[in-house]
Amino acid sequence: MPAGTSPSKLAPLVFTVKERGAFRLHALDADALAAGLTPGMPLADARARVPTLHARPHDPAGETRLLERLADLCDRFTPMIEIAPPDGLLLDITGCAHLFGGETALARDALRLMRAQGLRTRAVRAATPEAALALARLDDTLRAGAMGDEAAVRRLPLIALRAETEALLALRRAGFATIGDLADLPPAPLAARFGAELVDVRDRLLGRLDSRIAPRRPPPPIHVERRFAEPVVHVETVLAALDELLALACRQLAERHQGGRRFAARLYRSDGAMRDLAVETGQPVREPALVLRLLRERIEALADPLDPGFGFDLVRLAVPVVETLGAAQAALNGERAQDADVAALLDRLAARLGPGCLRRFVPRDTHLPERAARLVPHGQEAQAALTWATPPPGEPPLRPLALLDPPERVEAVAQVPDGPPRQFRWRGALHRIARQEGPERIAPEWWRRPEGHAGNPGLTRDYYRVEDESGRRFWLFRHGLYERETAQPHWYVHGLFA
Amino acid sequence: MSKTSRLHPALKRALTSATPPAHAAARLHPLGVPAIDRTLGGGLAAGHLHELFAGDGADEANTLAAAVMLALCLTRVATPAPAILWLRETAAQRKAGLHGPGLADLGLNPARLILCLLPDTAALLRAGVDALRCAGLGAVVLELGGNPALLDLTASRRLALAAEASGVTPLLVRTRGARPTPSAARTRWQVTAAPSVALAADAPGHPALTLALLRQRGGGAGLDWTVEWNRDAGCFRPAAFPGARLPLSGGGSGPSSDEADGSDDNAGWHIAV
């Protein structure tokens, strides 16, 4: 059932792929099919038959995107959706249909939604996903949204088995034409001749074997929703509804002794557009006011503001990530409250500025200064294997407070080529060195190089802590050992001490 | 009103003159140098805005270090050690990033520091006010380069008011050619590098700074002191006369005591003022 995506009646539309050096038709709209064109036909032949033919190259990525978007749209019916490429969506509506006034009404709603997108679609209900898909693709006698019963499945041609071409040919040669011909055969001889898989597929089509869809995303542990009788155009009203939903979700969380780490709200506009708002928290929370405040921050920080258009008709709130959270008890000195304060502040900043704005320092087991400390997003620092070492008492700082990345090249003068520097020029100013300490020799990490020691292991650095005459302290290094590694070692400023 | 009027006069007096919450009265944290603490009336006031200016483009690292040191002074007595939030513009962090081991070498456990990178001044000031309302933080460092028009008297007053309400101390670090403008700061400092007291073998010593008190609300100003950072005690100490020599602790490279029988040899390793 090729999807016809062209609502215009101007010309038949086809999509082509290049196969064996020639363009061939891949997908056709209804007008093209009516004109007698078939998939696989060379484009030149098709043009000869229909000169007004409108041909476009086939875009598989675009097709996937479209299906994803349609699946998002259908999210309002059920969270259990599977994409059946190239042209199908499978919805598991078990337990959802009564919300829409029955299964038939749900199917009608879905078709209306698709029509609003400019698509011609068919909807079929069946006991198993395989049967529904086969009926939707192969049986055009069923009414829209009708229930496909066993009789309908029995009428289907063998192609519904989706078997290999040879297997189909063998079945046809054996005298079978429809699923019905196979339906009542004993499984053992059938499996012996055509393979056990064929029997499984037959039984699934006929609803004798249970099968489930694999939803494209697992349903979140907690989700609540609110439908509006009339589309709502005021953002404040939507937020009020969200507040109610949050209270509901938080009550569920409290019953389960859990707190949410991620809250995702999805606003469905009546014209099919959707808007996602998601906030994350550093600690599991279940306070509606707190989450609502984060959501407000998120809305304020949106690059393109929330556009209600003709109004939102459905608000859904999901808590995809939950963690155990016991009942909170404040300590007498209010310590816990302060910790919670800081966590709430950090969540708010992250909601406003993006999760990457908050960073924590994490030590790493390396002696290369630029790799020794890593800045990780807040919340990931607990995974660090190392802790910070306390410096030995009485030592001056051996590592700079500010590290220049990359190090800045300077012109330095040393008395001897492998000796300490006497003066250097950095950012246009000359610094005469009054005191220095070094070298602290740091070898390259040759084990990280592709060829290790054997290839180019990198240059050794000789670091000097220096202080100029005005009291400024720098961390200089000479890149490469004189004569052993390089003839002309360069000097760099790598850091600034207090 | 009618209910309160029936209260016992003594109780009423006690109720009306109830002491303000502890953080409303400025808590003073001594910096460790008697002369400075005397001038400040006892120490650096928590819950008030303090401004730090870099003396020169090359003094920026020293100014950042001074902010770290003041934050450490302010949180020395608190247990467990509270977190310190550092608000920085992304561009500044890219140019000269704060280095974890360097922070540890100044005595600040980097795990206590939360670095917040912000796109611009407006976001930074807004995040600053939000952070200052959060009493769980030890100190908030706001680092701003240049002279942004947004940082006017109103903005700094907003910071100062938020700080007074929560008791969290904002340290406003002004770098990259910042000039003092009218502000609600309680104290305003200028930080410049100072020659350190050399260690053994003429090695650069402990961090030394010249702190100039440019302005103090309701107090003396215009003085400057050269101080040295004492990481182990978490406070400043008056800098020894430049050119003096101090022994390296731990006896790593200095002459060991059992080797030096004649104590005369050892004399050179003590402060020679």
Side-chain angles (χ1 to χ4, degrees), chain A residues 300 352-353 357-361 369 375 391-396 398-403 435 465 467 472-473 498, chain B residues 59 62 65 93 97-99 102 104-105 111 113 115-118 126 130 194-196 199 202 204 206 208 231-232 249:
Chain A
E300 274 177 42
R352 188 190 308 156
L353 302 156
C357 82
L358 292 170
R359 305 292 183 91
R360 303 298 289 256
F361 291 95
L375 273 178
E395 284 266 321
L398 298 179
R399 288 288 179 267
L401 177 66
L403 199 70
R435 322 174 202 295
R465 267 184 341 112
E467 180 177 314
R472 294 189 180 111
R473 286 161 286 275
Chain B
D59 287 320
N62 299 80
Q93 175 70 14
L98 285 178
H99 189 47
D105 277 355
L113 189 78
L115 188 64
C116 184
L117 300 178
L118 297 125
R126 187 167 168 214
D130 280 354
S196 65
L199 303 176
D202 217 13
H206 296 281
R231 173 186 66 215
D232 305 319
S249 69

Side-chain angles (χ1 to χ4, degrees), chain A residues 441-454:
Chain A
R441 184 159 291 179
I442 296 185
E445 294 189 327
W446 52 264
W447 53 91
R448 291 189 196 279
R449 303 264 172 165
E451 297 191 2
H453 226 359

Side-chain angles (χ1 to χ4, degrees), chain A residues 159-175:
Chain A
I159 199 164
L161 292 169
R162 300 222 270 168
E164 300 286 323
T165 325
E166 290 103 57
L168 282 179
L169 198 63
L171 282 167
R172 238 174 251 137
R173 286 210 179 125

Side-chain angles (χ1 to χ4, degrees), chain A residues 181-444:
Chain A
D181 296 343
L182 293 173
D184 301 319
L185 296 182
L190 202 60
R193 189 154 169 199
F194 301 106
E197 209 176 307
L198 186 94
V199 181
D200 274 359
V201 175
R202 179 198 72 174
D203 289 350
R204 284 210 199 99
L205 274 176
L206 291 164
R208 293 175 194 166
L209 266 183
D210 194 17
S211 76
R212 295 288 153 92
I213 70 167
R216 60 191 185 122
R217 52 177 90 95
I222 289 180
H223 66 274
V224 286
E225 61 181 37
R226 166 89 196 267
R227 263 163 224 286
F228 300 112
E230 288 284 317
V232 168
V233 290
H234 293 289
V235 175
E236 277 308 310
T237 319
V238 174
L239 279 171
L242 267 178
D243 195 16
E244 282 172 29
L245 290 178
L246 279 170
L248 214 63
C250 290
R251 215 171 304 138
Q252 287 186 29
L253 284 169
E255 280 164 10
R256 301 160 69 151
H257 298 282
Q258 283 178 327
R261 285 286 309 272
R262 190 180 153 83
F263 293 81
R266 179 172 267 191
L267 313 179
Y268 293 80
R269 238 162 60 173
S270 51
D271 59 355
M274 276 169 299
R275 201 60 196 259
D276 280 317
L277 299 167
V279 290
E280 286 187 32
T281 61
Q283 308 280 328
V285 294
R286 55 163 179 257
E287 281 167 58
L290 211 139
V291 183
L292 190 69
R293 195 162 166 195
L294 292 181
L295 281 171
R296 274 180 192 277
E297 292 273 4
R298 194 81 211 95
I299 291 173
E300 274 177 42
L302 285 178
D304 47 337
L306 216 55
D307 175 21
F310 295 110
F312 297 105
D313 58 357
L314 170 63
V315 181
R316 178 173 288 170
L317 179 82
V319 191
V321 186
V322 294
E323 272 178 21
T324 311
L325 174 68
Q329 177 172 5
L332 287 176
N333 57 6
E335 224 162 66
R336 197 189 146 86
Q338 292 207 342
D339 279 358
D341 262 9
V342 176
L345 167 77
L346 298 181
D347 289 343
R348 215 156 62 234
L349 291 179
R352 188 190 308 156
L353 302 156
C357 82
L358 292 170
R359 305 292 183 91
R360 303 298 289 256
F361 291 95
V362 166
R364 270 210 289 205
D365 190 13
T366 169
H367 50 250
L368 277 189
E370 63 271 25
R371 295 172 50 88
R374 204 157 44 110
L375 273 178
V376 300
H378 172 70
Q380 292 174 16
E381 74 276 8
Q383 298 156 10
L386 300 169
T387 51
W388 291 96
T390 35
E395 284 266 321
L398 298 179
R399 288 288 179 267
L401 177 66
L403 199 70
L404 304 178
D405 185 27
E408 286 178 28
R409 173 103 172 258
V410 293
E411 294 162 35
V413 178
Q415 260 174 344
V416 283
D418 53 354
R422 302 304 310 159
Q423 63 178 42
F424 64 97
R425 186 177 287 280
W426 178 57
R427 292 186 183 171
L430 186 70
H431 298 272
R432 280 178 214 286
I433 291 167
R435 322 174 202 295
Q436 52 80 20
E437 184 187 50
E440 180 185 347
R441 184 159 291 179
I442 296 185

Side-chain angles (χ1 to χ4, degrees), chain A residues 81-95:
Chain A
I81 297 176
E82 184 182 340
I83 291 176
D87 57 359
L89 287 179
L90 285 166
L91 276 64
D92 184 349
I93 54 169
T94 315

